[in-house]
Every structure is written in C-alpha cells, then in structure tokens.
Amino acid sequence: DKRKLTLLVSVLERQIFDFLGYQWAPILANFIHIIVVILGLFGTIQYRPRYITGYAVWLILWVTWNVFVICFYLEAGDLSKVIYHQIHLSLGYCVNVL
C-alpha cells in the first residue's frame, strides 16, 4: 500500500535525523571538505588555476571556522556558551538570568 510505504519512509527519515541530531551539519561540512580537497589535489596535479584558487579560498574559510569553534568551546574572549537574559524590573533594577 502506498500510504504504508510513505509512512515507513517518513519514519525511517525521522529516525535518521533523530540519530544524527545536531551532527548533520558537521557531517555535511566534512563531506564538502573532502570533495573540495579532492578537487584541490586534482587542480594541483593538472595545474588548473581555478581549482587551486578555489581550494585556497576554501582552506582559509575552513581554518577560520575551526579556529572559531575552538575559541567558542574554550570560551575565549567574549564567546560564551551561556546566554544571559536581562530582566528590567519596574524599580530600575536589572537582574541577569540564565
């Protein structure tokens, strides 16, 4: 039955995304990184300036993103995993809450 097949596919899809959770974005980024590295190596071997330039730009973006993630997890500078919300009371007091 077509409805059962659709339901089965929907449940399977949901299980996959629940299993991956928030990891789908890093998995996708790593997949793209692998593709770009392969193209960069191909461009270097075949001396294709467009591939080499694309790889150089991607490498700068990749290193910048990894430095940001490292600084975020180490809470360097103003980067923090905790978000503070301020509640302004009617008497002029300000209370920070998590």
Side-chain angles (χ1 to χ4, degrees), residues 28-75:
L28 185 62
N30 283 331
F31 177 73
I32 292 170
H33 181 66
I34 290 169
I35 297 297
V36 171
V37 167
I38 291 170
L39 289 175
L41 290 173
F42 175 76
T44 302
I45 292 170
Q46 297 291 322
Y47 190 68
R48 308 253 176 149
R50 181 176 291 174
Y51 287 172
I52 296 171
T53 305
Y55 177 70
V57 169
W58 173 258
L59 190 61
I60 290 169
L61 292 172
W62 188 255
V63 169
T64 304
W65 173 251
N66 283 317
V67 168
F68 168 75
V69 169
I70 290 168
C71 290
F72 181 73
Y73 280 112
L74 294 177
E75 295 184 357

Side-chain angles (χ1 to χ4, degrees), residues 82-87 94-98:
V82 178
I83 299 172
Y84 289 99
H85 298 285
Q86 291 185 348
I87 299 175
C94 182
V95 179
N96 289 327
V97 291
L98 296 176

